[in-house]
Amino acid sequence: MSDECIPDDGWPPRRQANWALLLLFLAYIVAFIDRIILAILIRPVSTDLQLNDMQFALVGGVAFSLFYVTAGLPIGWLVDRYPRRTIVAVGVAIWSLATIGTALAATFGWLFLSRVGVGIGEAALAPAAYSLIADYFPPERRGRAVAIYTLGVSLGASIAYFVGGQLIGFASQAGGIALPLFGDLAAWRFVFVAVGLPGLLLALLTLTMREPPRRGDKLEERIEKGAFVHFIRRNRGVSATYFLGYSFINLSFAGFMLWGPALFERVHGMGPADIGVPLALIFLIPTILGQWFGAAVTDRMVARGHADAPFLTGAACAVLLVPTAIAMPLLADTKLAFAALALLVFLVCASVGHHAVVAAAVAPNRMRGLYVASFFFVQNILGQAIVALVTAFLTDTVFGSPDSLGKSMAIVGGAGAVGGCALLLLGRGMLRRASAENRQLSST
């Protein structure tokens, strides 16, 4: 980007920033559709490939998260050094091709490897996106920009539930779909092809973003080999509360993403086509409201000088999340369960949706991509792999019945909300000190 394209305040023009934010937002929508579509299709996929709950946990949780977090750290390193728009474009293309490849899975192993590909591709998006947003938007607008980006989770889930339910219903009634190059496809296989193809076009569109100048150049010139490890050690307290606090709060949300469709099928007798519309509405309206509420409160508090605002907002919402996360999966009345779910997603989004504000406040620019990748390493190990396996273990081994899935989800979600709230409250002072230190270093 040439100097004349940059306003007097040093930030990129709003038009360029908003266009980049739109593309990143669309990428997150596509990513989340491809990520959770497997959970919606748990019944036909498990039946066709003869998977039990533990095997589904390995495919839906471990396969994605293990390689998402493994690839995320080196990709975060690349994000801090190379053009971020290129990294985003390559990542979108990889996960879209892997989603299409899922449609061809004939065995558990093939399905597992396909989800590995989705995880590797999606690992490129978050570190690059949050790094770009931090260089496109000044601090007083950054919280809302992050909230817009993370609304991709909400819309992605909403679209996945609605479109996935409609597609599976349409294809099931037709007895399968024949597509060029793919031949005759079972209903669930057709859905994976249908949701994977748009990502290939989006991969090309992301190349139209302009790479913004990285901010804080004076500080970045002094970053040497091993500096990130030193930075983490020096900020281990705030980093631990940041990584673990938000990750624990997110457990009830992550657990529902994987096991929610199965819960409503086993407890409430609802299939993919039945839950599509109500879940689409829940993951559209309460999530949008939650994202904006949490971001607006945090931005307002930051503008008033409260550097610990992200942790305070997250902890306050987590207090209300505790009883909600416990009650929602245990409710036998379907309408009450949907209402409790709407409140749950609102509170989780209000708690966690603005988390990247912490990374922007604490980490120097050329450490920010790796810092965000480290956050997602922890979040996805807890929220994808561990929550999947623990829930399956409690259901299959401790309670010994698939119908006990709600009890397992209540235990995991409630414990996560309690732990996350405690950690964020513990870290408020550390966040204030780390933010002040980063501002001082960046200005010298």
Side-chain angles (χ1 to χ4, degrees):
M1 185 185 297
S2 61
D3 293 340
E4 61 268 23
C5 294
I6 305 174
D8 293 338
D9 62 3
W11 293 95
R14 285 201 178 194
R15 180 171 54 84
Q16 292 178 9
N18 291 336
W19 173 244
L21 182 60
L22 174 62
L23 291 175
L24 294 172
F25 169 67
L26 292 175
Y28 209 5
I29 289 176
V30 172
F32 219 75
I33 292 173
D34 292 355
R35 184 183 305 187
I36 70 170
I37 195 68
L38 180 63
I40 301 171
L41 303 174
I42 180 173
R43 181 171 60 183
V45 173
S46 297
T47 300
D48 199 354
L49 300 183
Q50 299 181 345
L51 307 179
N52 58 32
D53 276 2
M54 186 58 72
Q55 287 176 308
F56 186 80
L58 290 171
V59 170
V62 176
F64 174 87
S65 63
L66 181 61
F67 289 88
Y68 181 97
V69 299
T70 301
L73 295 177
I75 290 175
W77 183 89
L78 293 173
V79 164
D80 292 332
R81 289 159 177 81
Y82 296 99
R84 292 160 286 186
R85 68 172 186 171
T86 304
I87 293 172
V88 171
V90 172
V92 175
I94 289 174
W95 88 59
S96 299
L97 289 171
T99 299
I100 295 171
T102 305
L104 306 177
T107 63
F108 168 78
W110 188 335
L111 185 64
F112 188 94
L113 291 177
S114 297
R115 302 310 291 176
V116 166
V118 175
I120 292 174
E122 290 195 18
L125 180 59
Y130 287 121
S131 179
L132 285 166
I133 289 171
D135 285 335
Y136 267 122
F137 295 91
E140 65 274 12
R141 291 171 43 213
R142 193 174 293 151
R144 276 161 283 192
V146 167
I148 291 173
Y149 168 71
T150 53
L151 279 176
V153 173
S154 310
L155 287 179
S158 179
I159 293 171
Y161 285 123
F162 179 74
V163 174
Q166 296 301 311
L167 287 175
I168 191 69
F170 165 75
S172 297
Q173 290 180 356
I177 300 292
L179 294 178
L181 301 179
F182 295 95
D184 293 329
L185 295 175
W188 68 267
R189 298 179 187 275
F190 164 71
V191 173
F192 278 107
V193 175
V195 301
L197 287 175
L200 299 179
L201 175 60
L202 183 60
L204 296 175
L205 279 176
T206 56
L207 295 175
T208 64
M209 283 191 294
R210 292 199 178 190
E211 185 77 12
R214 295 181 185 266
R215 305 186 67 81
D217 290 338
K218 293 181 180 179
L219 176 61
E220 313 312 336
E221 292 172 357
R222 302 199 297 270
I223 294 180
E224 301 174 353
K225 184 177 181 180
F228 183 74
V229 174
H230 176 70
F231 166 75
I232 290 292
R233 287 175 177 172
R234 190 175 70 248
N235 294 280
R236 58 184 176 273
V238 68
S239 298
T241 52
Y242 169 44
F243 295 168
L244 292 172
Y246 288 122
S247 298
F248 278 135
I249 291 173
N250 193 57
L251 287 183
S252 59
F253 188 95
F256 187 87
M257 289 292 98
L258 183 62
W259 295 110
L263 174 73
F264 277 94
E265 178 188 348
R266 297 175 189 179
V267 177
H268 304 280
M270 304 178 72
D274 301 319
I275 64 174
V277 172
L279 290 187
L281 292 174
I282 287 173
F283 281 88
L284 177 64
I285 299 173
T287 47
I288 290 175
L289 295 176
Q291 295 278 11
W292 278 105
F293 176 79
V297 170
T298 298
D299 279 354
R300 188 174 293 111
M301 293 178 67
V302 169
R304 294 176 179 175
H306 297 282
D308 61 349
F311 281 5
L312 186 58
T313 303
C317 293
V319 170
L320 300 176
L321 179 63
V322 174
T324 308
I326 295 172
M328 187 280 296
L330 299 177
L331 292 170
D333 184 273
T334 303
K335 292 182 180 179
L336 289 178
F338 279 133
L341 177 62
L343 179 59
L344 183 149
V345 296
F346 171 87
L347 292 171
V348 172
C349 290
S351 300
V352 180
H354 56 277
H355 74 84
V357 175
V358 178
V362 172
N365 188 296
R366 290 191 184 270
M367 294 183 186
R368 198 170 291 143
L370 189 53
Y371 196 60
V372 171
S374 300
F375 168 81
F376 279 101
F377 180 95
V378 175
Q379 186 189 64
N380 282 278
I381 286 292
L382 287 171
Q384 296 286 333
I386 293 179
V387 75
L389 293 174
V390 170
T391 304
F393 173 79
L394 290 172
T395 303
D396 289 346
T397 305
V398 176
F399 297 115
S401 170
D403 294 334
S404 299
L405 177 61
K407 297 178 182 178
S408 304
M409 294 174 65
I411 291 172
V412 174
V418 171
C421 179
L423 284 167
L424 293 188
L425 290 175
L426 181 66
R428 289 176 59 198
M430 291 181 281
L431 177 58
R432 289 193 295 267
R433 291 189 293 272
S435 299
E437 180 181 353
N438 187 40
R439 286 196 302 271
Q440 183 178 6
L441 289 172
S442 298
S443 62
T444 58

